[in-house]
Amino acid sequence: MPALFIIVFVSISLVAGSAIAYLIGASAVLTFLAVGKDQFLAVLPQRLFSQLDSFAFLAMPLFILAGDLMNRGGVANALIEFSMAVFGRLKGGLGHVNVVTSVFFAGVSGSATADAAALGNSLVPEMERRGYTREYASAITGASSIIGPIIPPSSIMIFYGALMGTNVTALFAAGIVPGLLLAVMLMAMNAYFAHRDDHPGGKDLDLPRFWPSLLRAIPALMLPAIILGGTLFGIMTPAEAAAVAVLAAIVVGMGYGHLTFSGILDSLMRTAVMLGGLFILLCAISTFSYIAALEEWPQAIQHLVQGWGLGPIGYLMLINAIFLGAGMVMDVKAAVALFAPIFVPAALAMGIDPVHLAIVICFNITVGLLSPPLGSVLLILSTVVKLEYWTLIRVTLPFLVAEIALLFVLTYVPSLTLALPHALGLH
């Protein structure tokens, strides 16, 4: 009977549109009462604080702030201009520009939704003006924005590392090769579609000159070099690199003449509001994780998997299905925080490498941002470019299928993700 009441409560709350943080938190507290563990609620505040008292979590708000400052500071425009100077003359060149800009942008933002919003506002209208359809321009923008959380710095990797106790620097190194593989795959697909559909090539007079655009882009290109070089070679911790990124973003943005003191204050306010919601969600999910640990749900899942006879490969396929489905309907960080503590321990007990598993989960959950019915990237792009939502889903499907195929390659070829961390001595 208590279980039925909780299910009914969750269903009604979902239909009523309750915030996911409040829904998870209330359901967790009700579960404490339903299973007779209400005495443990007395130590819940102390547990919540210990869960959040992680040095790795300090990097996340700083990278979010740095990304917002870079968006306001004209970094995206400098990167787009440089990419157009290099690739704009090729057949379907602006599609390549879109992908390459996402690679550069990933190194300074680490957010798929920020990438989609920035390029949706700037590059999609430019592609449309030069003869591309709005549908294709939006599709390649959405597909390439997934690179953002894969190539470091990545807020989702920081979040996962802090939550599951995985080395964040090793995760940064492990994300580079998958992110570049995704970029190469998207550029190959763009080249195919460009020749099949006769997409326009750039004209010399329409494109920025190489050397002036390179000189203008150098400060923007230095940002990922500072962030990645500092963390991968042990000069700085991720939190220290994030602090340096904030300072560099302010200097570069003011140097470009786009960032003002009021813009910095707006970025601080926006980051504070975002973090407020995020840490409320973290507290709610920590409550859920607590009752899950008390009731030994991870161990129950491990026994269940053993009963099914699933080996490491079969269990990775199950994890892919769960996290891909979660990414379609949930916030990325909420999905990771809700499901990782339950399903990851069984994977580690099977001998699956923790860094490889983390990259598979982060890549998986990020692909969900491009997946219907509620992919965040799709929702943002359809609003920004004013394109009907289901039309955007239809034109994005070929890219989504290719990204899922790459996900399975990364899942079953661990060396693709682990080669660089091993080479750098990080894992």
Side-chain angles (χ1 to χ4, degrees), residues 55-426:
F55 189 67
F57 274 132
L58 182 60
M60 189 168 56
L62 291 173
F63 274 127
I64 291 173
L65 175 60
D68 195 84
L69 290 168
M70 291 168 195
N71 282 339
R72 297 174 186 270
V75 170
N77 292 335
L79 294 175
I80 290 171
E81 186 178 299
F82 174 64
S83 300
M84 287 181 67
V86 177
F87 294 98
R89 294 170 176 81
L90 301 176
K91 183 74 171 177
L94 286 189
H96 295 315
V97 168
N98 202 313
V99 177
V100 173
T101 302
S102 291
V103 172
F104 289 146
F105 207 69
V108 296
S109 165
S111 168
T113 51
D115 190 335
L119 298 188
N121 272 319
S122 55
L123 201 49
V124 170
E126 181 67 15
M127 291 180 72
E128 196 173 0
R129 186 179 72 81
R130 292 174 183 262
Y132 294 79
T133 64
R134 182 180 303 183
E135 289 81 3
Y136 181 80
S138 302
I140 189 71
T141 300
S144 66
S145 69
I146 301 304
I147 298 170
I150 306 303
I151 293 180
S154 165
S155 61
I156 186 63
M157 290 182 189
I158 295 169
F159 185 85
Y160 182 98
L163 188 71
M164 301 307 299
T166 309
N167 186 322
V168 174
T169 305
L171 294 184
F172 278 7
I176 293 175
V177 171
L180 294 178
L181 284 175
L182 176 55
V184 170
M185 183 190 73
L186 291 176
M187 292 180 76
M189 292 183 70
N190 177 69
Y192 167 75
F193 287 126
H195 286 88
R196 189 194 71 175
D197 301 331
D198 194 26
H199 290 168
K203 299 176 182 178
D204 289 352
L205 294 177
D206 296 332
L207 298 171
R209 292 189 298 167
F210 175 79
W211 291 112
S213 63
L214 174 60
L215 290 174
R216 176 171 166 76
I218 282 176
L221 295 172
M222 286 296 293
L223 290 172
I226 293 170
I227 296 167
L228 292 182
T231 53
L232 297 184
F233 293 105
I235 300 170
M236 298 179 283
T237 66
E240 290 166 346
V244 171
V246 170
L247 179 61
I250 293 173
V251 172
V252 171
M254 289 186 165
Y256 283 143
H258 292 281
L259 189 63
T260 62
F261 285 108
S262 62
I264 294 172
L265 290 176
D266 288 343
S267 288
L268 287 169
M269 289 292 295
R270 177 181 169 85
T271 303
V273 170
M274 188 181 302
L275 287 174
L278 177 60
F279 278 97
I280 288 173
L281 177 64
L282 272 173
C283 288
I285 292 176
S286 294
T287 306
F288 176 84
S289 298
Y290 188 25
I291 187 61
L294 290 173
E295 289 295 291
E296 299 184 340
W297 292 348
Q299 292 86 337
I301 288 174
Q302 186 175 340
H303 293 317
L304 184 63
V305 168
Q306 290 172 348
W308 289 347
L310 289 178
I313 291 179
Y315 191 63
L316 280 172
M317 187 169 290
L318 176 64
I319 282 180
N320 275 338
I322 291 169
F323 279 92
L324 190 61
M328 294 179 181
V329 296
M330 292 179 67
D331 174 78
V332 168
K333 292 183 179 67
V336 168
L338 188 60
F339 293 112
I342 296 176
F343 290 98
V344 166
L348 299 181
M350 291 181 178
I352 297 172
D353 187 273
V355 172
H356 173 235
L357 178 64
I359 295 300
V360 167
I361 289 175
C362 291
F363 193 101
N364 196 326
I365 206 79
T366 304
V367 170
L369 296 173
L370 197 66
S371 308
L374 296 175
S376 299
V377 165
L378 294 174
L379 292 168
I380 287 172
L381 269 178
S382 66
T383 302
V384 169
V385 304
K386 296 180 173 58
L387 184 65
E388 201 271 326
Y389 183 67
W390 293 104
T391 300
L392 180 59
I393 289 175
R394 176 178 55 79
V395 297
T396 307
L397 277 179
F399 295 103
L400 176 61
V401 170
E403 289 179 350
I404 292 174
L406 179 58
L407 167 65
F408 280 96
V409 171
L410 295 173
T411 300
Y412 301 116
V413 187
S415 58
L416 290 174
T417 58
L418 297 178
L420 193 55
H422 284 317
L424 295 172
L426 296 172

